[in-house]
Amino acid sequence: MALFTRRHALGLGIGALSAAGLRATPAAADNGTEMHGMSVFGDLKYPADFHHFDYVNPNAPKGGLFSLIPSSRAYNQSFFTFNSLNAYILKGEGAKGMDMTFVSLMARSGDEPDAMYGLAAKSVLISPDKLSYRFTLRPKARFHDGSKLTAQDVAFSLNTLKEKGHPLIVVQLRDFVKAEALDDAAVVVTFAPNRARDVPLFVAGLPIFSKAYYANRAFDESTLDTPLGSGPYKVGRFEANRFIEFDRVKDWWGADLPVSRGANNFDVVRYEFYRDRDVAFEGFTGKNYLFREEFTARIWATRYDFPAIRDGRVKRETLPDETPSGGQGWFFNTRRDKFRDRQVRDALGYAFDFEWTQKTVMYGAYARTASPFQNSDMVASGPPSPEELKLLEPFRGQVPDEVFGEPFVPPVSDGSGQDRALLRKAAQMLNDAGCVVKDGKRRLPNGEVFTIEFLLDEPSFQPHHAAFIKNLVQLGVDANIRLVDAVQHRARVEAFDFDIAIQRLSMSATPGDSLRPYFSSQAAATKGSYNLAGVSSPAIDALIEKAIAAETRADLTFACRALDRVFRAGRYWVPQWYANTHRVAYWDMFAHPPKLPRYASGAGVPDIWWVDPAKSASAQQAR
């Protein structure tokens, strides 16, 4: 997982929620009782009168500064820069942290896989057919200018995001029909028949904008004007491309809600932006920012020996990560002719020597990824179960035969960096596919030289490519790295203008409609989607729908395992690596709950951490 493991977790809504019989507790759904929350499968953990989530410190002190560099992104955000405060459209590079300035109808629980509880909405009433959700808003909900947050604002926000939001939002709102305000306090959200299970959850987690604010402003334009928010933070000082601060709203209307107690503890949250990972590390050692999650095994193993570590001013922790790690890898752009042949893609995967890279570059810190559902019970193993076979049989003859046997796992090398047996097998597979060597160069069936460009936006990841490229050259393939800046990288990836690019598929514990942006034929043709490989498979499309329609968690698991088998058999990627921990370092002025919630992203940072009051003065000095 070195550099791009969590760092390229393409975050927020994608893969975070999911899946088609969304319900409150069974009894509530039957009798139409208004509920304080909703979940996908089974009952809610917390009752209507709960005081706070179990995993927070409800008495956490408020105050101090928390500063960090981005370790996840969503929609139009970048890890390295920003030039816009509109983070929900395609244009521009959205600032990390803008989600803290808005509220949504409901908020997620960190110790349940898919439960949400009231935030701007105090309750929800679900129709018997589960196609209509009526949310009742809290009377005290306010925007930062003091104006009331109403159902008209909710309806405006949801309808506008469906029409003008980032393509990834639009894809996930496919089964959202409309939102209508009944009055100031109630909004009805309507969904299409046979809707995806996770769409109501996704809708309930979207930001609420001020309708009045956008009355004379274009929603879908990049801008550095601060939008009117209603969340626990508002935009403070910032300098485009360098840093942005978010100031806690001291009299925030939602501070005493059960979903908010023990959270939003820092007076200032500041994001620093660096174009180079090594320079960013030096910034941390110089106390230019205070918290760092480390994604580079080389740095973790060799560079955390600076004076502040030795004298205890900086702490290191390895925190468990029990969330599904998803899948990270090099993705082939199958829209390009040279990668259309599955056998060619399969052969190229044999040139990556994970064992050598793990030992030499990554200090033994990772395990090999095999599945996009890695670190979960949705990973396929062994022959298909009867339940999986039932889903797969309609596609026999349309998918590779291996789908009906043991699932594909990446080859294990001898660790030499140049395993001759694996390279001979790769060469033979290329020859069989019509890609033969002529005049010392591997050529495509049409006679053109076989060239591969790896698109990359950060130099620190080059060592992980080096051995892979060396072996490709041994096979006669003209391979190289194209290192570009963050803005150009995002533009090219969103336009599918690349040969091979790195991506991390971020999966939730209950995947559903969130599978579409990664794997569906619709997403393959949608600019800006996460389907970098261009996966366009009727079998995968059908299995996505089976996962979405699953009525029980067991049915969902079987559908995901079946999908996993077909995806892995397609050889759309060269899987990389993963770890089931967070490696974090921070200047010793922070505290966090003793047991972090299982389903919280990014070790609960910064949401449920806090500053030790005795050290808050030191924190302010780093500002």
Side-chain angles (χ1 to χ4, degrees), residues 400-420:
D401 290 341
E402 76 177 48
V403 166
F404 300 92
E406 297 279 342
F408 174 76
V409 294
V412 177
S413 77
D414 60 11
S416 66
Q418 193 172 326
D419 188 316
R420 294 181 180 276

Side-chain angles (χ1 to χ4, degrees), residues 444-462:
L444 298 168
N446 63 8
E448 293 180 1
V449 173
F450 197 160
T451 63
I452 294 178
E453 179 183 274
F454 289 82
L455 186 64
L456 187 61
D457 62 351
E458 188 167 353
S460 298
F461 209 46
Q462 292 182 97

Side-chain angles (χ1 to χ4, degrees), residues 61-71 96-97 100 233 243-248 264-272 284 287-293 317 319 584-593 601-612 615-616 618-623:
K62 304 292 185 183
L65 166 77
F66 190 89
S67 56
L68 69 166
I69 58 176
S71 59
K96 176 67 177 176
M100 297 190 297
Y233 288 87
F243 75 89
I244 184 168
E245 292 183 349
F246 295 92
D247 297 332
R248 185 169 64 88
N264 310 312
N265 299 315
F266 300 105
D267 278 350
V268 177
V269 175
R270 175 177 170 124
Y271 286 95
E272 299 279 357
F284 176 69
K287 210 176 181 181
N288 291 331
Y289 61 98
L290 303 172
F291 174 94
R292 176 181 174 88
E293 184 171 1
E317 285 193 71
L319 303 172
V584 302
Y586 52 92
W587 287 82
D588 188 16
M589 57 190 65
F590 302 119
H592 61 76
S601 61
V605 171
D607 302 345
I608 57 175
W609 288 49
W610 63 90
V611 165
D612 183 324
K615 301 175 182 178
S616 61
S618 298
Q620 292 296 334
Q621 291 175 6
R623 194 173 170 184

Side-chain angles (χ1 to χ4, degrees), residues 14 37 61 88 102 143 176 180 193 203 218 227 234 259 273 277 297 323 332 347 349 372 436 493 539:
I14 299 299
Y88 297 95
F102 301 105
F143 288 102
F176 161 72
E180 297 176 288
V203 165
K234 58 184 178 181
V259 297
F273 293 84
R277 189 71 171 168
T323 61
F332 301 105
V436 299
V493 167

Side-chain angles (χ1 to χ4, degrees), residues 327-333 339 342 344-354 357 368-372 408-411 452 454 461 464-465 468-469 472 499-505 533 567-568 570-577:
Q328 179 178 297
W330 286 284
F331 283 77
F332 301 105
N333 186 357
F339 297 124
R342 171 183 174 272
V344 169
R345 303 193 299 269
D346 193 7
L348 297 175
Y350 281 80
F352 174 54
D353 191 330
F354 168 76
T357 305
R368 186 77 191 267
T369 293
S371 164
F408 174 76
V409 294
I452 294 178
F454 289 82
F461 209 46
H464 305 76
H465 289 69
F468 192 5
I469 289 175
L472 289 172
D499 284 344
I500 295 178
I502 293 172
Q503 183 187 29
R504 180 163 181 265
L505 308 180
F567 176 80
R568 287 157 70 178
R571 305 297 194 275
Y572 297 106
W573 65 337
V574 179
Q576 292 181 342
W577 44 83

Side-chain angles (χ1 to χ4, degrees), residues 347 350 421-433 435-437 442 474-475:
Y350 281 80
L422 295 183
L423 291 177
R424 282 196 298 270
K425 183 172 183 177
Q428 186 59 56
M429 294 168 71
L430 289 169
N431 289 337
D432 293 344
C435 298
V436 299
V437 175
R442 182 75 58 178
Q474 286 287 321
L475 293 172

Side-chain angles (χ1 to χ4, degrees), residues 103-106 118-122 136-138 141 149 208 253 257:
V103 295
S104 52
L105 289 166
M106 292 190 161
L119 181 51
K122 65 178 183 179
T136 300
L137 302 189
R138 298 184 189 275
L149 188 156
I208 299 172
W253 62 268
L257 296 177

